[in-house]
Amino acid sequence: MKEFAIYTGLRAALFAVCFAVLWFSLSARLGVFPLLLLALILSSILSIFVLRAARERLAGQIERRASRMSQRIEQARSAEDDD
């Protein structure tokens, strides 16, 4: 859960930075909605490269958790077969 919170926080921070940069550079020409859309697109593209390490840690945590769940299911299934 910790890795998920960290990754989500980093994504939100990256979005906020992109929005702030766009706001200060383009707010006179564009409205808020187009700026939000551009910030969303830009932060999504940047997150692929900038947040790679955090995303890999999150994926590893999810994989370990899924593996433990699969092992528990197999143990329960084999215990059920033994009875």
Side-chain angles (χ1 to χ4, degrees):
M1 192 65 160
K2 175 184 151 190
E3 296 298 331
F4 176 77
I6 290 171
Y7 182 71
T8 302
L10 288 172
R11 286 288 304 256
L14 185 60
F15 173 78
V17 167
C18 289
F19 182 76
V21 168
L22 290 172
W23 178 263
F24 287 114
S25 61
L26 298 174
S27 65
R29 290 182 231 146
L30 296 175
V32 174
F33 184 72
L35 287 176
L36 285 171
L37 216 63
L38 283 172
L40 181 66
I41 293 168
L42 183 61
S43 68
S44 296
I45 293 169
L46 286 175
S47 72
I48 293 170
F49 305 104
V50 175
L51 302 179
R52 177 176 289 152
R55 186 175 48 254
E56 287 176 357
R57 285 191 303 270
L58 175 61
Q61 180 187 24
I62 291 170
E63 187 176 339
R64 286 188 299 276
R65 183 179 237 176
S67 176
R68 284 193 308 262
M69 289 177 67
S70 294
Q71 288 175 352
R72 287 183 198 154
I73 290 170
E74 277 302 315
Q75 287 173 351
R77 189 176 294 151
S78 65
E80 191 176 278
D81 289 343
D82 291 342
D83 290 339

